[in-house]
Amino acid sequence: MSKVYARRRVSILAALTGLIASVGLFNGPTASAALPTPVSGATARSYLSQLTVATENRTGYKRDLFPTWITISGTCNTREYILKRDGTNVVTDSSCAATSGSWYSPYDGATWTAASDVDIDHLVPLAEAWDSGASKWTTAQRQSFANDVTRPQLLAVTDNVNQAKGDQDPATWMPSRTAYRCTYVRAWVQVKYYYNLSVDSAEKSALQNYLASC
């Protein structure tokens, strides 16, 4: 093997090694995550067609029937876990409270640098879940729903936007950012389908309309 060829081979290997390392940087864990990716539009439309349509009933609802927040990992409770997942460059103290970082709210496009400006939204609100079937669940089942970090149910958003949403469903409230609406309704249907929750007629009609363009 000539010295020129040997040098060239070493150079190519070094370049490949650098490329692999850079790919690892892009594909590895990042400081910012997002809502677990919802099912596709086609799957959401299929799920929606299988949901029971029923009149909602709020009799007996109390928010504390859905215990929050619970410990998810180490010293981190559900809120702290989602703040770390959804934020960028989040720094936490020994009790897992966020001391710095930034949070982008996909509902309204705002970015916040204080965790106190951010709420953790239950995408399908707790009262809405109660109205559509959770009233029949055990407290343990309701706790699992209220702290579900696996499905696209919890999301860090601007606090006053979350408060304005309240317990509304897509027939009366949608994110102001139109670019996020497809993600929102796909997630909504996925959560309702997974938990075998019903929809009312206005809610189903709204979901069908939004999903038609997803």
Side-chain angles (χ1 to χ4, degrees), residues 33-39 81-82 85-86 123 148-155 180 183 186-187 190:
L35 188 77
T37 303
V39 295
Y81 178 93
I82 298 298
R85 186 198 72 182
D86 290 1
L123 196 136
D148 187 350
V149 298
T150 303
R151 275 145 292 275
Q153 163 66 349
L154 296 173
L155 183 63
Y180 199 69
T183 300
R186 284 158 46 213
Q190 180 180 344

Side-chain angles (χ1 to χ4, degrees), residues 46 80 83 88 101 127 138 153 195 205 207:
S46 174
E80 294 159 347
L83 285 174
T88 299
T138 64
Q153 163 66 349
Y195 284 100
S205 178
L207 291 166

Side-chain angles (χ1 to χ4, degrees), residues 89-108:
N89 299 324
V90 177
V91 176
T92 58
D93 62 20
S94 59
S95 64
C96 203
T99 57
S100 64
S102 65
W103 292 268
Y104 174 76
S105 170
Y107 287 177
D108 57 334

